[in-house]
């Protein structure tokens, strides 16, 4: 692809929409059913890519922040999951989003009883209902409740008057083995307790959505038809993620561009 850089200001980022679309199409084809896809927008953070996803039939999204969730609402995305447990003023900001953007259904995560009571108190005070997904810790040890302890929290949620349990969330960003067989084994090992919990919930909560994985583990999770997959970096991809994917799958769609502004020594350059 030949590009005339003479009129391109630097430093900056160049995005190739045709490659973004190709990556979106590849992931949708791989998952088989666009309703099983909930892309995370934390990498691209742009209205343009959000609208490309919407035009491709995607209706469910993940966002890392309140601001990202509002960006999706501006494009009237139907379903937005904020992928963290909200605390402090952010619970109030979520309620503001619900009231301001009625065309979008919002949800957030919960992994703790005290956080749940805060959600309930704020929702009751505002006269709204909040959608929650229980966040499971499947080995990354960043957020989440371990599956073995999740049943008590789920029962507590079901007893709340202003809280609706919409699903289960499990992010496994630590699973990024280079070898595909090793990655599959890693997922199988770390999801043993997850499956035990899921089987326990099937009777009482048959309609829960199970949102799992990131871009590296997508190649494992897409095979499980009961899962909604939530990769995000796939839209742009980078050298690190390309190394985790087979040839002729995802392509890098974004590049940083810069100019050399000085050569202070024979072995040194300075970029803008």
């Amino acid at each position: 692809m030949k590009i005339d850089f003479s009129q391109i200001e630097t430093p900056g980022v160049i995005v190739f929409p045709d490659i973004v679309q190709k990556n979106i199409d590849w992931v949708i084809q791989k998952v088989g059913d666009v309703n099983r896809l909930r892309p995370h927008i934390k990498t691209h953070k742009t209205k343009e890519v959000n609208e490309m996803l919407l035009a491709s039939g995607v209706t469910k999204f993940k966002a890392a922040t309140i601001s990202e969730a509002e960006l999706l609402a501006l494009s009237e995305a139907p379903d937005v999951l904020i992928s963290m447990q909200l605390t402090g003023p952010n619970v109030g900001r979520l309620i503001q989003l619900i009231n301001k953007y009625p065309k979008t259904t919002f949800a957030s995560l919960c992994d703790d009883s005290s956080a749940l009571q805060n959600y309930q108190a704020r929702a009751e005070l505002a006269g709204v209902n909040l959608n929650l997904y229980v966040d499971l810790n499947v080995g990354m040890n960043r957020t989440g409740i371990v599956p073995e302890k999740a049943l008590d929290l789920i029962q507590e949620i079901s007893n709340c008057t202003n809280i609706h349990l919409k699903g289960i969330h499990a992010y496994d960003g630590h699973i990024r083995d280079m070898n595909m067989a090793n990655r599959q084994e890693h997922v199988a090992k770390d999801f043993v307790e997850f499956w035990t919990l899921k089987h326990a919930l099937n009777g009482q909560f048959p309609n829960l959505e199970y949102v799992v994985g990131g871009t590296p583990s997508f190649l494992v999770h897409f095979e499980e038809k009961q899962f909604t997959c939530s990769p995000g970096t796939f839209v742009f991809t980078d050298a690190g993620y390309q190394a985790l994917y087979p040839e002729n799958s995802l392509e890098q769609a974004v590049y940083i561009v810069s100019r050399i502004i000085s050569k202070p020594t024979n072995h040194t350059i300075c970029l803008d």
Side-chain angles (χ1 to χ4, degrees), residues 189-207:
K189 176 176 70 70
D190 285 8
F191 273 71
V192 169
E193 288 80 12
F194 171 97
W195 280 107
T196 300
L197 174 66
K198 186 179 185 306
H199 293 320
L201 293 174
N202 283 343
Q204 186 178 358
F205 303 97
N207 298 316

Side-chain angles (χ1 to χ4, degrees), residues 67-202:
S67 296
E68 290 176 14
E70 185 162 28
L71 180 64
L72 284 160
L74 290 172
S75 295
E76 297 185 355
D79 189 329
V80 177
L81 169 60
I82 301 171
S83 60
M84 69 172 176
Q85 181 165 255
L86 299 178
T87 59
N90 278 333
V91 179
R93 292 183 67 192
L94 172 61
I95 293 170
Q96 290 173 3
L97 285 183
I98 292 170
N99 291 329
K100 186 175 181 180
Y101 299 101
K103 293 183 178 180
T104 299
T105 298
F106 296 96
S108 58
L109 301 185
C110 183
D111 68 14
D112 177 78
S113 178
S114 60
L116 171 62
Q117 294 309 314
N118 186 37
Y119 278 126
Q120 165 62 29
R122 298 294 296 273
E124 187 175 10
L125 183 64
V128 301
N129 293 319
L130 296 181
N131 296 312
L132 293 184
Y133 288 67
V134 170
D135 186 27
L136 298 184
N137 179 2
V138 290
M140 192 169 181
N141 298 326
R142 184 174 68 184
T143 66
I145 185 171
V146 292
E148 306 93 293
K149 297 182 179 180
L151 275 175
D152 288 342
L153 179 62
I154 290 168
Q155 190 59 54
E156 190 177 354
I157 290 173
S158 67
N159 292 333
C160 289
T161 57
N162 293 73
I163 304 296
H164 171 61
L165 177 63
K166 193 174 180 184
I168 304 294
H169 175 268
Y171 178 62
D172 54 7
H174 62 294
I175 299 179
R176 48 195 312 127
D177 306 76
M178 293 295 294
N179 180 276
M180 190 60 196
N182 292 341
R183 209 180 311 170
Q184 291 169 328
E185 291 174 5
H186 200 163
V187 168
K189 176 176 70 70
D190 285 8
F191 273 71
V192 169
E193 288 80 12
F194 171 97
W195 280 107
T196 300
L197 174 66
K198 186 179 185 306
H199 293 320
L201 293 174
N202 283 343

Side-chain angles (χ1 to χ4, degrees), residues 31-103:
V31 79
D33 179 358
V34 74
N35 293 314
R36 289 185 53 228
L37 193 60
R38 187 182 280 277
H40 202 318
I41 76 161
K42 65 181 179 181
T43 296
H44 63 264
K45 300 180 188 288
T46 60
K47 190 170 186 283
E48 292 83 357
V49 176
N50 291 342
E51 293 185 349
M52 290 176 72
L53 288 161
L54 285 163
S56 298
V58 176
T59 60
K60 298 186 290 188
F61 295 84
K62 271 173 62 174
T65 66
I66 294 286
S67 296
E68 290 176 14
E70 185 162 28
L71 180 64
L72 284 160
L74 290 172
S75 295
E76 297 185 355
D79 189 329
V80 177
L81 169 60
I82 301 171
S83 60
M84 69 172 176
Q85 181 165 255
L86 299 178
T87 59
N90 278 333
V91 179
R93 292 183 67 192
L94 172 61
I95 293 170
Q96 290 173 3
L97 285 183
I98 292 170
N99 291 329
K100 186 175 181 180
Y101 299 101
K103 293 183 178 180

Side-chain angles (χ1 to χ4, degrees), residues 217-253:
S217 60
F218 170 77
L219 288 179
V220 179
H221 291 308
F222 84 89
E223 299 275 13
E224 179 49 67
K225 303 304 182 186
Q226 300 177 68
F227 289 168
T228 297
C229 299
S230 59
T233 307
F234 74 93
V235 294
F236 285 166
T237 315
D238 58 33
Y241 281 92
Q242 278 188 295
L244 298 173
Y245 269 69
E247 291 185 31
N248 303 316
S249 56
L250 300 180
E251 296 181 27
Q252 189 167 329

